[in-house]
Amino acid sequence: MANIELSEQEILRRESLAKLRELGIEPYPAPLYPVNATAKEITEGYDEQKGNFQEVCIAGRVMSRRIMGAASFGELQDETGRIQIYVKRDEICPGEDKTMYNTVWKKLLDIGDVIGIKGFAFITQTGQLSVHAKELTLLSKSLKVLPIVKEMDGKVFDAFTDPELRYRQRYVDLIVNPQVKETFIKRSQIIATMREYFNEAGCLEVETPILQSIPGGATARPFITHHNALDIPLYLRIANELYLKRLIVGGFSGVYEFAKDFRNEGMDKTHNPEFTCMEIYVAYKDYIWMMDFVEKMLQKISLRVNGTTKVKIGEHEVDFGGTFRRLPILDAIKEYAGVDVKGMDEDQLRATCKQLNVEIDPSMGKGKLIDAIFGAYAEEKLIQPTFITDYPVEMSPLTKRHREDPTLTERFELFVCGKELANAYSELNDPIDQLERFEEQAALKSKGDDEAMFIDYDFVRALEYGMPPTSGLGMGIDRLTMFMTGQTTIQDVLFFPQMRPEKTAPKKED
């Protein structure tokens, strides 16, 4: 920070900071301040006839000031919104010393400073609800200039709209674009609703390791680190699935976890290398039961967060109410790509990809080839919530074989607006079959597929003790929040999305 060149305004604010201390005013006092009301509570609850809110203590950030001699108006913003304040010199300085008004309030305080006001609510002559200040306290001096939006001659100035700045300086974004808070409040409501739903279903919230010796539970490229004391490599988890299923083996009938997962892959509008995923596993259930469970959950979330099952996502209105379409993946490829890939071997699939102009590489096996065709032709067409079901065995190394067709599995993925929202299985609980699937993944890894799974022998051992028939579900919380709030980029539902390091200012020459 010492090498960063300060603007003129930043220099002036530091000078004001020094002058405040010279006056014996601490710009960053002890944190206890007896707030007893918020802007929203006063705005919604004040009744002039009742004369309530006559002893209020509020705190917030100064967002505007209009100084008119011995009296001033300002606007204070707290977590709940804004309210006008009225500051009169002889009220906050009843004695001979008028320093607090004439020097501190008028000259040394700035837009963005955090202050506390003790006083009473009233209606001004122009009909504006305000808080009349009897006492003013500086709680935190702001040394940076806020990009406060101004309008002049029909033009808008200083709007804080640049996406990179907003994501990098989320603290400023939240101050000057308070509507952004609504997305994150809804995110919290989504998670709370899911917890309530799972708990009512008799499931237990648990925690599993983030650092893992084997990154299992998904096909993805992991982040790797090193444990010095044990002198072993460790991985940031890509999924928590295998640990949760160990708990089902151990006797829990239903477990779930909101997990931070990490995948060392690309970043775009719907992917962040660190993301939140909810996974739930319920014994003695199957993937058909889970579809019904998910439909009811999403309907409940949408009603809680938006008051309706219909949500505007980009140009589409999506309805989370009712029964979602259920479409087998091979039928989806046939419907949208116009080819029937059922029964094709790897060579035939490669030829089909070439015919369809689907980009592939030599490391891809049958599962990834089918997935590539589906992704190229079907995904973007799935706007309304749709369960894509019955994936081929090669695409689903942790999934139980289909009860009617052993070449398929009992799996579904839920798609909304062309994006995957959830992935669920009737879980594979045959330890011999599971080991064979792991070995097939290892063969793909040897061919160069760095997303293929490792063999987790301890998980196979757990299955050998016997895991009850189980249904499992994984759902991305970030993407769910995008859909429920109508956002089109994942960065808008993460407080602090991953970004390239900020360029530091060059060292100033002497």
Side-chain angles (χ1 to χ4, degrees):
M1 293 294 290
N3 296 326
I4 296 176
E5 189 171 348
L6 300 177
S7 69
E8 181 181 353
Q9 283 297 316
E10 288 171 331
I11 292 171
L12 290 173
R13 289 188 178 216
R14 279 163 172 75
E15 291 174 353
S16 295
L17 182 78
K19 290 175 183 175
L20 286 165
R21 286 191 165 128
E22 288 172 8
L23 291 171
I25 297 172
E26 173 51 53
Y28 308 103
L32 183 62
Y33 190 74
V35 173
N36 64 13
T38 66
K40 184 176 181 180
E41 287 171 346
I42 298 171
T43 301
E44 294 183 353
Y46 177 69
D47 187 323
E48 190 173 15
Q49 305 248 324
K50 292 180 180 177
N52 54 349
F53 292 103
Q54 293 306 290
E55 292 185 6
V56 300
C57 180
I58 64 172
R61 199 177 294 275
V62 178
M63 300 304 288
S64 67
R65 283 187 309 172
R66 300 189 307 280
I67 296 174
M68 302 171 289
S72 309
F73 287 98
E75 200 170 30
L76 201 68
Q77 176 175 292
D78 65 12
E79 183 184 16
T80 66
R82 295 189 183 189
I83 193 166
Q84 182 168 278
I85 57 173
Y86 174 66
V87 183
K88 192 174 182 182
R89 183 188 61 196
D90 294 336
E91 291 281 356
I92 65 168
C93 304
E96 294 289 326
D97 186 358
K98 307 298 182 183
T99 302
M100 178 54 74
Y101 185 86
N102 291 338
T103 303
V104 176
W105 171 247
K106 289 176 66 175
K107 298 178 180 178
L108 301 182
L109 295 192
D110 294 287
I111 303 301
D113 288 351
V114 179
I115 65 171
I117 294 288
K118 291 182 180 179
F120 58 90
F122 77 110
I123 303 293
T124 67
Q125 291 180 351
T126 59
Q128 179 70 46
L129 175 63
S130 306
V131 175
H132 186 128
K134 303 286 285 184
E135 181 182 312
L136 184 152
T137 304
L138 174 61
L139 300 175
S140 183
K141 180 68 182 164
S142 171
L143 301 182
K144 288 282 189 184
V145 181
L146 284 176
I148 300 299
V149 179
K150 307 180 194 70
E151 289 190 38
M152 189 179 299
D153 298 327
K155 296 181 179 179
V156 177
F157 299 90
D158 292 336
F160 196 66
T161 56
D162 180 78
E164 181 170 346
L165 278 177
R166 289 182 53 238
Y167 304 150
R168 198 178 292 282
Q169 299 179 33
R170 183 66 82 186
Y171 38 89
V172 179
D173 189 30
L174 291 166
I175 294 169
V176 300
N177 297 318
Q179 71 278 6
V180 170
K181 288 182 181 177
E182 289 304 311
T183 295
F184 295 98
I185 291 170
K186 287 185 175 183
R187 181 187 175 108
S188 181
Q189 292 171 341
I190 288 167
I191 294 172
T193 304
M194 293 175 80
R195 278 199 170 99
E196 178 185 291
Y197 186 70
F198 299 150
N199 292 341
E200 287 175 354
C203 298
L204 180 72
E205 184 170 10
V206 298
E207 294 178 288
T208 62
I210 292 175
L211 286 173
Q212 301 179 353
S213 58
I214 294 175
T219 53
R221 183 186 302 165
F223 287 93
I224 187 169
T225 185
H226 186 83
H227 191 290
N228 291 335
L230 296 176
D231 193 25
I232 59 170
L234 289 175
Y235 302 87
L236 294 179
R237 70 178 168 203
I238 57 175
N240 50 346
E241 175 173 343
L242 302 188
Y243 282 95
L244 292 176
K245 288 198 280 195
R246 285 173 170 93
L247 297 179
I248 297 295
V249 171
F252 289 98
S253 61
V255 292
Y256 70 94
E257 180 178 17
F258 289 90
K260 280 292 183 184
D261 291 342
F262 307 84
R263 297 183 183 178
N264 197 356
E265 299 168 346
M267 295 167 53
D268 57 33
K269 289 186 176 182
T270 60
H271 293 88
N272 196 65
E274 174 186 347
F275 61 99
T276 304
C277 185
M278 185 290 306
E279 293 202 29
I280 183 169
Y281 294 84
V282 186
Y284 309 110
K285 307 298 183 186
D286 65 5
Y287 79 134
I288 297 172
W289 175 89
M290 187 62 80
M291 286 187 229
D292 297 334
F293 189 73
V294 169
E295 284 173 349
K296 292 183 179 69
M297 178 184 72
L298 291 176
Q299 181 173 327
K300 182 172 184 176
I301 290 170
S302 188
L303 288 171
R304 174 74 62 85
V305 172
N306 297 308
T308 175
T309 61
K310 296 180 180 178
V311 181
K312 185 76 172 175
I313 305 173
E315 60 184 18
H316 303 290
E317 183 179 76
V318 174
D319 192 352
F320 287 102
T323 301
F324 304 162
R325 186 186 184 193
R326 304 180 183 196
L327 179 65
I329 187 170
L330 299 184
D331 290 350
I333 290 173
K334 190 174 181 179
E335 178 177 332
Y336 294 111
V339 294
D340 187 353
V341 300
K342 186 173 183 179
M344 285 188 181
D345 60 22
E346 189 171 318
D347 290 338
Q348 290 171 316
L349 286 167
R350 287 187 183 281
T352 301
C353 287
K354 185 176 181 180
Q355 176 190 338
L356 295 172
N357 295 315
V358 175
E359 188 175 338
I360 58 174
D361 64 64
S363 71
M364 296 169 73
K366 282 183 65 175
K368 287 205 167 183
L369 294 170
I370 292 171
D371 193 40
I373 298 171
F374 173 76
Y377 280 86
E379 277 191 19
E380 66 180 16
K381 310 290 198 321
L382 305 173
I383 304 303
Q384 295 302 319
T386 304
F387 291 121
I388 297 297
T389 67
D390 303 344
Y391 285 67
V393 169
E394 294 83 3
M395 298 179 71
S396 312
L398 297 169
T399 312
K400 200 174 192 69
R401 290 179 188 269
H402 199 283
R403 64 197 75 179
E404 295 175 1
D405 185 345
T407 67
L408 304 177
T409 59
E410 295 195 349
R411 173 187 176 189
F412 73 76
E413 287 186 304
L414 174 61
F415 284 84
V416 178
C417 279
K419 299 294 180 183
E420 177 202 341
L421 175 58
N423 189 16
Y425 317 145
S426 293
E427 300 296 335
L428 177 59
N429 61 347
D430 179 340
I432 296 172
D433 192 357
Q434 180 64 84
L435 181 57
E436 290 173 352
R437 307 263 198 106
F438 277 148
E439 288 170 343
E440 290 168 3
Q441 287 286 302
L444 290 174
K445 187 171 284 292
S446 68
K447 287 173 61 177
D449 186 348
D450 57 6
E451 293 185 348
M453 290 185 183
F454 291 67
I455 299 178
D456 189 335
Y457 289 106
D458 179 69
F459 177 65
V460 174
R461 178 169 58 191
L463 291 184
E464 289 175 340
Y465 281 96
M467 185 175 81
T470 298
S471 181
L473 168 78
M475 180 173 287
I477 299 302
D478 307 323
R479 196 166 291 177
L480 175 60
T481 303
M482 286 174 60
F483 292 151
M484 289 295 173
T485 59
Q487 302 296 329
T488 56
T489 65
I490 195 170
Q491 288 81 9
D492 283 319
V493 300
L494 301 173
F495 272 129
F496 305 106
Q498 192 67 46
M499 303 188 73
R500 292 185 185 277
E502 189 172 6
K503 291 182 180 178
T504 56
K507 190 172 182 179
K508 208 175 174 184
E509 297 292 335
D510 293 331

